[in-house]
């Protein structure tokens, strides 16, 4: 007659529970925060908003403006791979889809809309904490700009 070995079954159950827990932790860690900032760029001579100073060099390198005004920002947590929508001021929103791109980079497909009309639809490869600048439509004497940063 076989003996029931409770310690073996308990060990097996403990290993199974631990494996499930570690898998769920790994999945939770596979996400990033994406911050989207709307900016109005112009040549009005107004300088750069204090909240944008850390991005001033990037903005001036890409755009021929001397004035950058923050129009609002928001962020969303996105699973990798996964998608989410970032709502912004003035009926702007950005649908983002994120996939791994290797070497700690992300392939971000962004569809920027205002009042349901697509302004920019693009895919970029982005590094963590490095800004991606998307240029939108004209607005008065300048342009609306979207700054995306993956954290």
């Amino acid at each position: 007659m076989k003996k029931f070995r409770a310690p073996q079954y308990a060990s097996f159950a403990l290993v199974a529970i631990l494996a499930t827990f570690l898998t769920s932790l790994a999945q939770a860690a596979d996400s990033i925060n994406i911050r989207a900032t709307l900016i109005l760029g112009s040549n009005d001579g107004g300088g750069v908003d204090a909240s944008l100073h850390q991005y001033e060099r990037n903005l001036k390198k890409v755009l021929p403006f001397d004035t950058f005004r923050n129009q609002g920002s928001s962020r969303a947590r996105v699973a990798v791979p996964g998608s989410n929508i970032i709502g912004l001021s003035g009926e702007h929103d950005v649908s983002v889809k994120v996939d791994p791109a290797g070497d700690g980079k992300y392939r971000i497909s962004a569809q920027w809309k205002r009042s349901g009309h697509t302004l920019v639809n693009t895919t970029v490869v982005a590094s963590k904490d490095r800004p991606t600048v998307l240029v939108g439509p004209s607005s008065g004497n300048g342009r609306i700009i979207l700054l995306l940063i993956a954290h």
Side-chain angles (χ1 to χ4, degrees):
M1 185 159 127
K2 284 187 171 179
K3 285 188 174 182
F4 179 73
R5 297 195 178 249
Q8 281 182 329
Y9 291 109
S11 295
F12 177 74
L14 184 59
V15 168
I17 291 169
L18 186 59
T20 302
F21 176 73
L22 290 175
T23 301
S24 66
L25 276 180
Q27 288 173 344
D30 256 358
S31 64
I32 59 171
N33 279 313
I34 297 183
R35 181 173 192 79
T37 303
L38 271 180
I39 301 167
L40 180 60
S42 68
N43 284 316
D44 294 340
V48 179
D49 280 356
S51 63
L52 300 173
H53 275 296
Q54 62 185 341
Y55 309 114
E56 181 176 0
R57 193 176 89 218
N58 294 81
L59 291 167
K60 288 185 173 181
K61 182 171 127 181
V62 177
L63 301 160
F65 300 124
D66 62 15
T67 303
F68 294 97
R69 295 283 174 230
N70 188 332
Q71 302 294 297
S73 65
S74 187
R75 70 177 62 218
R77 187 153 200 82
V78 184
V80 180
S83 60
N84 206 340
I85 297 174
I86 306 170
L88 293 159
S89 62
E91 297 185 17
H92 289 263
D93 64 69
V94 184
S95 298
V96 291
K97 181 178 178 287
V98 180
D99 290 297
D103 290 333
K105 295 182 180 183
Y106 302 96
R107 181 170 287 105
I108 301 173
S109 297
Q111 188 175 53
W112 173 16
K113 293 182 178 183
R114 179 177 55 200
S115 303
H117 293 77
T118 301
L119 302 177
V120 175
N121 189 8
T122 190
T123 300
V124 297
V125 174
S127 297
K128 255 188 174 178
D129 300 320
R130 308 253 351 223
T132 298
V133 178
L134 302 178
V135 180
S138 296
S139 177
N141 294 335
R143 283 203 173 279
I144 301 172
I145 302 156
L146 181 67
L147 189 68
L148 294 175
I149 304 161
H151 297 285

